[in-house]
């Protein structure tokens, strides 16, 4: 009896994983190359004490532009001078703001402080 229950549970779990994989197919968007990551810590295990050296080694392996995850935060690393210059020219407004948070809203006068004010005129 317990073997039948175990097999039924196993096949139910296998069916659930199979349905989940079918429902979450990745679309064919062009994504940046990225090293493998762990679920919670992201790529912290690949960034050692000498961060510039470990990022250079990752850039040699994955190219001049890559996506790494520091915890749950995605970070785009650009290690080419020409690519960085192009990004800062064409996407300057996207990189000029600071991320908004509820703590900075409460403590710094609803984003009216000089340090946390959003980019505007």
């Amino acid at each position: 009896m317990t073997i039948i229950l175990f097999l039924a549970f196993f096949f139910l779990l296998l069916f659930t994983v199979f349905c989940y994989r079918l429902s979450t197919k990745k679309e064919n968007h062009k994504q940046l190359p990225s090293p493998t990551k762990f679920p919670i810590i992201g790529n912290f295990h690949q960034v050692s004490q000498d961060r510039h050296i470990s990022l250079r080694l990752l850039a040699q392996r994955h190219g001049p532009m890559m996506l790494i995850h520091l915890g749950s935060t995605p970070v785009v690393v650009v290690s080419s001078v020409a690519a960085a210059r192009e990004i800062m020219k064409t996407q300057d407004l996207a990189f000029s703001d600071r991320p908004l948070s509820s703590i900075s809203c409460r403590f710094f006068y609803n984003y009216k402080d000089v340090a946390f004010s959003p980019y505007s005129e």
Side-chain angles (χ1 to χ4, degrees), residues 49-67:
Q49 181 124 8
D50 296 328
R51 289 169 192 85
H52 60 285
I53 296 173
S54 59
L55 287 176
R56 179 179 52 99
L57 293 174
L58 284 173
Q60 286 175 347
R61 205 173 317 142
H62 298 286
M65 288 184 64
M66 67 180 164
L67 177 71

Side-chain angles (χ1 to χ4, degrees), residues 49-92:
Q49 181 124 8
D50 296 328
R51 289 169 192 85
H52 60 285
I53 296 173
S54 59
L55 287 176
R56 179 179 52 99
L57 293 174
L58 284 173
Q60 286 175 347
R61 205 173 317 142
H62 298 286
M65 288 184 64
M66 67 180 164
L67 177 71
I68 64 172
H69 291 267
L70 300 178
S72 62
T73 306
V75 177
V76 176
V77 177
V78 179
S79 60
S80 167
V81 175
R85 185 175 292 129
E86 187 65 28
I87 287 173
M88 291 301 172
K89 280 185 181 177
T90 60
Q91 301 292 328
D92 60 341

Side-chain angles (χ1 to χ4, degrees), residues 1-8:
M1 185 69 181
T2 58
I3 294 174
I4 295 172
L5 287 174
F6 176 74
L7 287 175

